[in-house]
Amino acid sequence: DAMVIQNPRYQVTQFGKPVTLSCSQTLNHNVMYWYQQKSSQAPKLLFHYYDKDFNNEADTPDNFQSRRPNTSFCFLDIRSPGLGDAAMYLCATSRTSGTGETQYFGPGTRLLVL
Amino acid sequence: AQSVTQPDIHITVSEGASLELRCNYSYGATPYLFWYVQSPGQGLQLLLKYFSGDTLVQGIKGFEAEFKRSQSSFNLRKPSVHWSDAAEYFCAVAGFQKLVFGTGTRLLVSP
């Protein structure tokens, strides 16, 4: 089945220690998104890639970076995680970036910062 | 800017009873609206979406939602709730190149 895969499902890191979260997709979609979801809150878009074009949300901290080496993979890098970065990180894809395009979500990676 | 309000943080429904989850949106043009469900520790699964046409939209798992432009609402309904429906439900409106989510409603199902 075509799907969005996120690894690992749970990640524990230390305060200030860089961490990378991974997302892959078999849908061959052009767009990949990263959302941050803190406990009992709505998912918040961090950035997205349309093909190789990177689009950062205005309020995404510089601590968060992303890479998309090819169509299938996208990575979220947190350069110096703080306690406030503990959250669920959701990857999503869509065929295009047109308004109303359905987004398909992965299962998420829960990040714990010690 | 687009926004979504889900006024109910928690709702408890008895198994077999009907369900309605409320969603109000703010958007200047014709909205594209979505309902997603999130089970504990899982990602979001699309239940249904509204783009245009018939204002009553059918989704998966027996859910439906009705778009009411005059009330800026897109409420989710199910005639008979099952214990497996216990989850968090998010309403979302499509903005430019993004989805804007409400804060979610947690559904609890009592025996």
Side-chain angles (χ1 to χ4, degrees):
Chain A
D1 289 339
M3 55 196 306
V4 181
I5 302 162
Q6 291 188 245
N7 287 305
R9 295 293 311 278
Y10 299 91
Q11 177 74 57
V12 181
T13 190
Q14 293 178 337
F15 183 93
K17 184 176 181 180
V19 65
T20 295
L21 309 183
S22 170
C23 177
S24 64
Q25 54 126 343
T26 60
L27 296 160
N28 203 33
H29 283 173
N30 290 311
V31 191
M32 296 186 77
Y33 308 80
W34 280 104
Y35 289 84
Q36 179 192 62
Q37 184 183 22
K38 295 188 176 180
S39 182
S40 301
Q41 296 184 21
K44 179 179 177 298
L45 183 65
L46 295 172
F47 27 60
H48 75 276
Y49 272 95
Y50 188 107
D51 197 11
K52 294 186 183 298
D53 293 333
F54 179 69
N55 297 272
N56 198 33
E57 291 297 297
D59 56 355
T60 298
D62 293 339
N63 198 27
F64 292 87
Q65 304 286 323
S66 186
R67 296 170 284 133
R68 189 178 186 186
N70 53 52
T71 299
S72 300
F73 285 87
C74 194
F75 300 99
L76 170 62
D77 301 309
I78 308 176
R79 294 191 299 186
S80 181
L83 298 179
D85 296 327
M88 173 78 92
Y89 289 88
L90 297 167
C91 175
T93 74
S94 64
R95 189 176 54 86
T96 75
S97 61
T99 299
E101 193 74 22
T102 298
Q103 294 186 19
Y104 298 87
F105 286 80
T109 294
R110 183 167 296 281
L111 178 67
L112 181 62
V113 181
L114 300 178
Chain B
Q2 307 89 359
S3 67
V4 174
T5 301
Q6 293 181 250
D8 303 306
I9 298 174
H10 298 100
I11 281 186
T12 300
V13 175
S14 298
E15 190 168 16
S18 63
L19 168 70
E20 182 168 24
L21 302 181
R22 295 184 290 165
C23 172
N24 293 97
Y25 67 90
S26 174
Y27 191 69
T30 300
Y32 296 85
L33 295 159
F34 303 79
W35 274 101
Y36 283 86
V37 60
Q38 185 178 34
S39 297
Q42 301 296 315
L44 280 72
Q45 181 183 20
L46 180 68
L47 285 175
L48 47 79
K49 58 187 179 184
Y50 170 78
F51 287 175
S52 63
D54 192 346
T55 56
L56 186 62
V57 181
Q58 301 298 320
I60 62 171
K61 304 185 179 185
F63 286 92
E64 66 178 27
E66 186 171 13
F67 171 64
K68 293 186 178 180
R69 184 186 298 277
S70 61
Q71 299 177 17
S72 297
S73 70
F74 188 56
N75 294 349
L76 182 71
R77 301 194 295 246
K78 186 170 184 178
S80 178
V81 168
H82 188 262
W83 63 266
S84 60
D85 293 324
E88 186 105 24
Y89 291 80
F90 290 94
C91 182
V93 64
F96 179 65
Q97 296 186 340
K98 66 173 27 167
L99 288 176
V100 176
F101 288 91
T103 51
T105 297
R106 182 169 297 278
L107 173 66
L108 304 174
V109 181
S110 60

